[in-house]
Structures are given as C-alpha cells and as structure tokens.
Amino acid sequence: MLMTEKRNSPRKKAARRPKETFAAEFNKRSRKISEVELKFIVPGNDRKVFNKLEKYFSDLGWIKLSRKNSHLVTLQLHTPEKKLLKDGTTLRIRGNCLNDRLDDISDSDICLKTGATLDQSGAVRRGEYEARTTSFDAIQFTKLLQKYPKAEYPELYDALNGVKASDLQEYFRIDCYRNRYIVEIPEDVTGIKGKRFVCELIMDDVAFVMDIPGLETPLIFHHDLEVECETLFKPCSYDSDPHAQKYFSSPMNQKEANDAMSVIKNHMIKGGKNKLLASTNSKAERGFMHFDIAIDALQDYVVANNKQTKGNTTKLSSAFTLSAKSAPAGKKGNVVKLHKRLPRKMGYVLRERAIALGG
C-alpha cells in the first residue's frame, strides 16, 4: 500500500538556480584569481636558449611588447612549522630591484598562491591572490584581504586560517633577472575561430639565496633558468607600458584554452631547439626543495633562528642565523667556505650577479 501511494503521488521538481556555462565560469575565475601557465627549465643553464626563443618569436612577428633585464627580488615567507607549504600554498613579497641594489626596491607586492592543478595541455593552473604592499621588508595581510573579500574568495581565507603575519619569517630570497615579452598568436595559427590569444612569454635567470645575518654577502644555494608562458585573460596591471592595456585574450572555454596553450607550447619547444624540460614546480616550490637539501649540508654552520617577534611588529627577520661553528661574521671568506659546503658549486653564480647589498 505504501509502495503504491509513493509511486502514484506527483513528483516534486527540485528548484534549480540558473546554471552558468562552463565557459562563463572558467573565464570568470581565470580573470579574477587564476594563473594558467606553461613552465620549462633550461637543462645545463644554457643562456643561448633564451636568445633562440626571442629570435624565433620575433622572426614570426608575434612579439608585441618587450621588457628586458628587469631585476626582481622575492622574499619567500613561511611559518616555522611550514603550514602553508603542507597545504600546497606559498606566500611571498616581491619588488623591483633598482640599479641592481637590493636596498633600493620599488613597486612591491604580496602574493599568495594555492595548490596547482594540471590542464590537458600541460599548463599549470593555480589560484593567485596578489596586492600592492607599502613595505618590502614587512608583512601585512590588510591590502590582500581588502582586495579579496571573504564572501567572494573564501579559499584565500581558508589558506590563511591560523597563519599570523607576526609568525612569518624569510626562509630564502629569489634573485631574478627577467626578460618579458607580450606575445599574440594569430587566429589562423591557434585554429580558434573568432578568438584572440595573448600571453606573456617570460625568461628568468634565477638565483636562490639565503640572506643570513652575519654574512656580508648572501649565500646562493641553487641557480636555474626558467621559461614560462602565461595566458593573459586581462591586461597586466603591473605592466607600465602605455600600450599594455590593449593586450589580453578573448574569453575561452576549457577546450579553447587547452588548444591555445598546446599551440604555444609546441612553438616554445621548437623555438628552444628542443632544449626545454617541462616542469610543474613554481620557483617557490623549487626553492624549498633545494633549500632543504642545502640546509642539511650546512647544518653545522646555519641554525634556526628562534627569536620570537615581539608585540605587533610586522618586521620580517631571517628564519636562520650562523652557528657558533661558523667563521667570524663580516668576513667575505665565510661565504666562500659555506659555498664549498653546498651540494652544488654556486661560486660562479656569485661572481656574476650583483646580489650583495649595495651591489
């Protein structure tokens, strides 16, 4: 009887809210907080690959804007227990280093990146939240949280849950010389009818540096060359070129985005003469990986800095300091000795980069 009544009773239709198409949702999120990029490492740190890539895209006429030899410096931050990294999240402050002087930095910003997913094309997609900050060597979440309200960006607040600005310390720095190009690939090449594809092609010469109190010159613990290509779904707000605001891609669905990135990927490999190694690791992720190896090798010389931040100050301090076994502070010989203790020889990088304070 119960079964019959249930079968014959009229079915209630579930209320449905308007459903966005995948393409609309894809572009809404991409334009707001996602970075979609292809990333490669240059084996052997062969700088000739950079020249080959620039010539290749220039000869095709696809380079629209360029800015070469920018000097960027990044403070890679973390709590003592590395809570963020365990969740696939990284946090940094980055600025433009003027005249190769690490004490003269402008246009700094704070950026938090969440865990990565891999697109079909091989492009990495990450949540990216960035905002201008008033100080390069101090940490504040205020500007970041003002730009991304909790109701609209709950994932940002989830990532920062339990993380206090006063707990953060500088683990290492990323010293980067960057060549950046705005590239537009014609529609007949991408094969995506009626859609414009614009990306930034970036070639980075990267040194990973420990700035340790007591050392006159920073300690380079890793060095690599990175090539990346990021789709521009909106004009880059950090590009000061007066023409930059007119270069951005059309809205695309997932298939179109994958197709476009597959095309640029093939041209990057071709332009680099097949000397590019695909990577899914960000600079921060590579840095922490090599940092752990370096710290293990330097354990007799570099120790954790357990000094606690007092009051409400947000001044950043190094997470490490020299141990008692190190040579007396302030002597350049310290750096040479410590470089010799690293798994890889980094002395040659030190000699060719103006990374010392006042460089």
Side-chain angles (χ1 to χ4, degrees):
M1 181 69 176
L2 182 61
M3 291 289 291
T4 304
E5 287 178 350
K6 191 171 183 179
R7 188 183 298 118
N8 293 335
S9 60
R11 293 183 177 180
K12 294 182 179 180
K13 291 185 177 180
R16 293 184 179 180
R17 64 183 180 86
K19 183 179 180 182
E20 288 187 285
T21 63
F22 179 87
E25 176 65 17
F26 176 83
N27 284 283
K28 182 178 76 172
R29 302 302 295 169
S30 295
R31 288 175 180 274
K32 285 183 177 178
I33 53 93
S34 288
E35 63 172 8
V36 184
E37 64 181 8
L38 293 162
K39 195 175 287 286
F40 297 90
I41 298 297
V42 180
N45 292 339
D46 183 1
R47 287 187 178 86
K48 293 178 182 178
V49 173
F50 282 3
N51 297 330
K52 291 175 183 177
L53 281 167
E54 180 185 17
K55 185 177 187 306
Y56 178 82
F57 283 97
S58 179
D59 287 348
L60 288 170
W62 294 353
I63 293 178
K64 304 304 178 183
L65 301 175
S66 65
R67 185 180 180 186
K68 301 180 69 173
N69 298 318
S70 298
H71 189 177
L72 305 174
V73 61
T74 299
L75 305 182
Q76 204 63 54
L77 313 178
H78 228 308
T79 59
E81 69 279 4
K82 296 185 181 179
K83 177 186 182 299
L84 293 170
L85 196 61
K86 293 175 183 176
D87 297 332
T89 301
T90 58
L91 179 66
R92 53 94 167 149
I93 293 178
R94 184 173 68 190
N96 290 312
C97 187
L98 304 177
N99 302 312
D100 279 340
R101 292 180 61 91
L102 298 183
D103 58 351
D104 190 5
I105 295 175
S106 68
D107 301 324
S108 58
D109 65 21
I110 182 172
C111 180
L112 182 142
K113 295 187 180 184
T114 56
T117 58
L118 197 63
D119 282 2
Q120 206 172 18
S121 63
V124 176
R125 183 182 301 274
R126 290 183 177 87
E128 183 180 46
Y129 308 85
E130 57 186 358
R132 294 287 189 183
T133 185
T134 55
S135 177
F136 176 73
D137 59 355
I139 177 70
Q140 293 179 342
F141 293 146
T142 306
K143 298 282 187 181
L144 198 63
L145 300 182
Q146 286 176 346
K147 184 175 179 179
Y148 301 98
K150 186 174 183 178
E152 195 171 354
Y153 304 94
E155 59 273 22
L156 170 61
Y157 291 77
D158 289 343
L160 290 175
N161 185 33
V163 177
K164 296 180 181 179
S166 58
D167 292 336
L168 293 166
Q169 291 180 300
E170 173 195 327
Y171 273 67
F172 57 87
R173 299 185 180 191
I174 300 174
D175 184 82
C176 175
Y177 288 101
R178 168 169 290 183
N179 291 344
R180 177 179 179 269
Y181 310 89
I182 298 297
V183 172
E184 182 169 4
I185 301 184
E187 178 185 321
D188 61 342
V189 177
T190 64
I192 307 172
K193 189 175 181 180
K195 297 294 179 76
R196 185 184 186 192
F197 179 68
V198 179
C199 59
E200 56 178 4
L201 180 65
I202 295 174
M203 304 174 203
D204 285 341
D205 183 335
V206 191
F208 296 82
V209 175
M210 274 187 262
D211 193 42
I212 303 173
L215 282 185
E216 184 177 328
T217 304
L219 181 71
I220 300 176
F221 63 91
H222 181 63
H223 172 243
D224 59 36
L225 302 184
E226 178 188 75
V227 180
E228 64 180 49
C229 177
E230 181 176 350
T231 305
L232 288 177
F233 285 110
K234 61 181 179 181
C236 178
S237 58
Y238 294 93
D239 194 332
S240 59
D241 191 293
H243 302 291
Q245 294 304 304
K246 67 180 182 179
Y247 289 105
F248 58 93
S249 297
S250 302
M252 296 182 186
N253 59 35
Q254 187 180 40
K255 182 182 183 305
E256 291 168 339
N258 274 316
D259 288 348
M261 291 303 272
S262 294
V263 170
I264 187 70
K265 177 181 179 180
N266 291 336
H267 280 284
M268 290 170 72
I269 293 172
K270 183 178 179 180
K273 305 297 182 182
N274 295 310
K275 291 185 177 180
L276 294 177
L277 181 64
S279 173
T280 57
N281 292 322
S282 66
K283 292 182 183 66
E285 291 166 334
R286 298 201 309 277
F288 274 110
M289 178 178 65
H290 291 284
F291 173 85
D292 288 340
I293 297 172
I295 284 295
D296 185 59
L298 298 172
Q299 58 183 328
D300 289 339
Y301 305 91
V302 179
V303 297
N305 180 3
N306 295 318
K307 183 179 179 180
Q308 298 295 317
T309 305
K310 296 181 180 180
N312 296 320
T313 179
T314 56
K315 188 76 173 180
L316 285 168
S317 62
S318 173
F320 294 87
T321 187
L322 290 175
S323 75
K325 295 182 181 180
S326 301
K331 293 185 178 180
K332 292 185 177 181
N334 294 359
V335 181
V336 176
K337 290 178 181 179
L338 288 183
H339 272 111
K340 289 182 178 179
R341 303 292 178 180
L342 293 169
R344 297 179 182 177
K345 294 181 179 179
M346 289 293 124
Y348 76 97
V349 187
L350 175 65
R351 289 191 294 272
E352 65 186 18
R353 299 177 80 94
I355 63 167
L357 188 65

